[in-house]
Amino acid sequence: MKIFPVSLRPDFIIWLIIGFFMISGVLPVYASGTVSLKKPPASLEEWYKPANKRQVWLHTMFRLRREMQAIAVYAKNNDQEAMLKWIKRLDKDYNKITSMVPEWEEEIKPRLIPDLKMFAEKGDALRVDKTLKMIKRTCDDCHTQYQPLVTATYRSPFYNDIKLKDGNGKTQSFDDNMDQLSRSVNRILIALDDGHNAVALQASQKFVDQLQTLGSSCSSCHKDDDYPHERILGKDTGQRFKKLQANIKQGLVKDSQKLMGEIAVTVCARCHNTHRIVSDLRNALLPDE
Ligand code: HEC
Ligand code: HEC
Ligand code: HEC
């Protein structure tokens, strides 16, 4: 079993913890500046897109949670028939864990399911509850060790593969576009600061073009959904840029700087808060890619 040791600066740790909450809802095991996560077995890959048509592993997990809840509810209500129906389903899905990923044989305790069934048949709600808790512990143990890396590997968006097309039909990587955006923002701010309004205006046009190029990427993930593009690069942003260029032309430096601040928040930060945090986390967790 390969262990991933990730050495971290203190500010990184806080950031990682926030990230873990975001993507998994699970706190990592960490001590004195180190996080250790186990790398998931390779055979898991075939239960995720694109190797599989569906996210089979994840949907098995959702069913397991529903089954555990149903059994607990019916144990409380003393509804034996319903309990047995859901235990049968739990049996099937719990054992699917190792039929899908044989390397995880040690992680589950299949013998707990016949126990559960026996207690249900006897109407022993107390022991049903106890056994459910023992099963739950196997769920939690595996999640603590593996869930964050699995989510990062198979379910977080990946930007390196995305190719952008600029106005001249030239392709560009996501990172190059980000680098240019950041340069344009600062070129405008420097020029405004020093009263070079013609330079600021020219840089602002470049900035608009670069965002247009970035806009061509949205649909590669947000298929058939116009809302995400509208939210960040839509009408409101268009208006701000019009106003910015009018202000620069009139030499209204303070107003222009204020608008640049608004653009940085509504365009850059708004997008970074969802996309970049997850992307940076993925890159930190999976440094080999
Ligand atoms: C799609 C939404 C989106 C928008 C809008 C956006 N960014 Fe980004 N930005 C990202 C993502 C995602 C990353 C991380 C990319 C990666 O890991 O490959 C990133 C990374 C960056 C980086 C770091 C690049 C690097 O090489 O590490 C800079 C700098 C940056 N963005 C600047 C900006 C600026 C300035 C703006 C606004 C003018 C902006 N971005 C708008 C999504 C966005
Ligand atoms: C051998 C390891 C393992 C065991 C045992 C296991 N899981 Fe999971 N589970 C995972 C992994 C890995 C993920 C992350 C999947 C992802 O993010 O795509 C996960 C994710 C989940 C999720 C999704 C959480 C979310 O909202 O994103 C649920 C629900 C879940 N498991 C329920 C259960 C239940 C209930 C059990 C026990 C009956 C269980 N799991 C047992 C490995 C396991
Ligand atoms: C590599 C994949 C990827 C790309 C490219 C991408 N996004 Fe996203 N975006 C996501 C994911 C994943 C989410 C979170 C789940 C969701 O809302 O679909 C998200 C969420 C969002 C949200 C929040 C949606 C909501 O309902 O609150 C907005 C807004 C958004 N993206 C805008 C954009 C814009 C604008 C672009 C192009 C400049 C873009 N995205 C490009 C993957 C991507």
Side-chain angles (χ1 to χ4, degrees), residues 162-173:
I162 291 184
K163 291 272 170 287
L164 307 176
K165 262 212 164 64
D166 71 13
N168 305 319
K170 275 225 301 258
T171 55
Q172 187 181 59
S173 75

Side-chain angles (χ1 to χ4, degrees), residues 157-161 173-186 207 210-211 214-215 217-218 222 232-233 241 260 263-283:
F158 190 43
Y159 295 86
N160 291 10
D161 289 344
S173 75
F174 209 89
D175 275 353
D176 286 347
N177 183 268
M178 288 301 139
D179 189 48
Q180 289 186 355
L181 284 177
S182 143
R183 284 175 175 282
S184 291
V185 168
N186 282 315
F207 189 19
Q210 287 156 358
L211 281 177
L214 178 63
S217 75
C218 314
H222 299 289
I232 290 173
L233 299 174
F241 272 102
M260 283 300 290
I263 289 168
V265 171
T266 56
V267 176
C268 318
R270 190 172 280 169
C271 197
H272 286 172
N273 283 342
T274 44
H275 303 74
R276 187 176 175 183
I277 291 173
V278 178
S279 174
D280 285 352
L281 183 66
R282 178 197 167 111
N283 292 341

